[in-house]
Amino acid sequence: MNLFLVRIQKLLHGLGSQSGRLALKKGVAASIEHSVALDGRQYNTVVDVGGNVGQFALFAREKYPHARVFSFEPLEDCWNTFASIFDQDERVQLFRCGIGTEDTEVVINVANANDSSSILPPAAMQIEAFGTTVSATKDIQLRRLASVLRTDQIIAPALLKIDVQGFELDVLKGSKELLSLFETVYVEASYVELYQGQALAGDVLEFMREHGFEIQGVYNQYQHHIKGALQADFLFKRRSTPQHAKN
C-alpha cells in the first residue's frame, strides 16, 4: 500500500481515541499495518522487542485491551517518548534494554531515523533503499529474555513480536528458554543484507522450524522499485506438539 495512504490511515485512526490523540501529540501512531496479520487472535501477554516509541504497544493495547504488554527499548530518546505515553497505563511495562544472547553491554548505531537504529552497521542496500545514516553510537544494555521476565508473567496465549533491524536471530536465541511459552511469534526479517552480518529470513525460518514453530503467513512486504522485495513481517505459530529444541 502507498506509504502516504498508510500515514493518513494511521492519523485518522489515532484521532478516534483519547490514547491515540495523546500519542499523536508526541508524533506517535499505532502500527495498524499489523491488523491483518493478527486479526482473529487474542492474547493475554504481548512481549514487544524493539518497542521504539510505542507504535506496536499502542496497537496491542487497542487490539488486546486485557493483555499485559512487556516492551523492550534501549535507546534513551525513544524510551522517554514511550514512557510519556504509557506512564499511567498499568498494563504496559517498559524495560530500558534490548534482548540478546547474553547479559552484556554493547554499542548501538543510532540512525537518522530512530526506527532504523541497530546494533549492526547499515549495509549498502539499507543506505540506498532507506537513506539510512549513522548519526551517533551509544552504549546500551542487552539481556536474555529469561533474565528479565519470569515464566509466570507470560500468561497464555502469548505473542512475541520482534522488530530489531537485523538482530532478529540473536533475539530469538536470547529467548530460547521462554520460547515454548509463546503461541505466536511475529518477526520482521530481511531477504537481503540490510545490516552488516545480519541473519536473513531463511535463517530465521530455519531457527523457528527447529524450535517447534511453523510459518502462518508473510505480511507487510517492502518492495523496492528497483531491487525488489527487501523485507517482510513473518508470522509463526507454535506446533501443538513442538519438536525438542536444538542447541
Side-chain angles (χ1 to χ4, degrees):
M1 182 180 290
N2 183 283
L3 290 178
F4 176 75
L5 293 178
V6 171
R7 292 191 184 102
I8 294 297
Q9 287 182 343
K10 288 184 175 183
L11 174 61
L12 294 174
H13 179 85
L15 291 171
S17 68
Q18 183 176 352
S19 60
R21 290 190 293 273
L22 171 63
L24 285 175
K25 289 180 180 178
K26 300 176 182 297
V28 180
S31 52
I32 59 174
E33 65 270 24
H34 303 301
S35 296
V36 173
L38 297 169
D39 242 8
R41 304 168 190 271
Q42 286 297 319
Y43 300 100
N44 291 322
T45 309
V46 176
V47 175
D48 169 26
V49 182
N52 197 244
V53 292
Q55 304 96 315
F56 192 84
L58 275 170
F59 165 79
R61 287 295 288 123
E62 292 177 1
K63 197 164 187 66
Y64 317 117
H66 302 295
R68 287 294 308 275
V69 178
F70 300 101
S71 292
F72 295 83
E73 175 51 53
L75 281 177
E76 181 178 7
D77 290 349
C78 295
W79 197 94
N80 288 338
T81 299
F82 190 122
S84 71
I85 295 171
F86 293 99
D87 62 348
Q88 301 298 315
D89 192 334
E90 296 181 351
R91 290 192 171 274
V92 177
Q93 185 172 355
L94 176 59
F95 297 90
R96 193 170 169 177
C97 65
I99 299 298
T101 58
E102 58 182 331
D103 297 344
T104 187
E105 185 176 278
V106 298
V107 173
I108 191 170
N109 298 285
V110 182
N112 52 326
N114 60 36
D115 58 357
S116 294
S117 299
S118 176
I119 291 168
L120 305 174
M125 184 63 72
Q126 174 73 19
I127 296 169
E128 179 182 346
F130 300 99
T132 300
T133 59
V134 175
S135 57
T137 58
K138 293 186 178 180
D139 295 332
I140 61 166
Q141 300 295 317
L142 287 184
R143 297 288 182 267
R144 294 185 65 83
L145 190 60
S147 297
V148 185
L149 295 182
R150 306 184 309 271
T151 57
D152 63 354
Q153 291 177 290
I154 303 175
I155 309 300
L159 165 68
L160 171 61
K161 165 264 181 185
I162 302 170
D163 184 356
V164 287
Q165 309 306 310
F167 205 61
E168 298 82 19
L169 193 57
D170 289 81
V171 171
L172 288 166
K173 289 178 178 178
S175 305
K176 281 199 299 186
E177 298 96 330
L178 302 180
L179 203 56
S180 64
L181 300 178
F182 293 94
E183 176 192 78
T184 306
V185 177
Y186 185 55
V187 54
E188 183 185 75
S190 303
Y191 299 116
V192 299
E193 188 181 63
L194 298 176
Y195 292 88
Q196 295 177 29
Q198 75 170 103
L200 299 181
D203 303 307
V204 171
L205 267 66
E206 179 64 14
F207 178 92
M208 296 302 291
R209 185 192 65 80
E210 292 178 350
H211 288 78
F213 288 80
E214 53 191 23
I215 191 164
Q216 295 290 293
V218 180
Y219 303 89
N220 304 316
Q221 186 163 268
Y222 181 83
Q223 192 84 15
H224 189 268
H225 65 287
I226 296 175
K227 302 298 183 179
L230 300 184
Q231 63 186 25
D233 296 321
F234 295 82
L235 186 73
F236 298 92
K237 187 172 183 180
R238 179 166 46 86
R239 290 191 289 267
S240 55
T241 54
Q243 298 174 344
H244 291 295
K246 296 183 179 181
N247 294 325

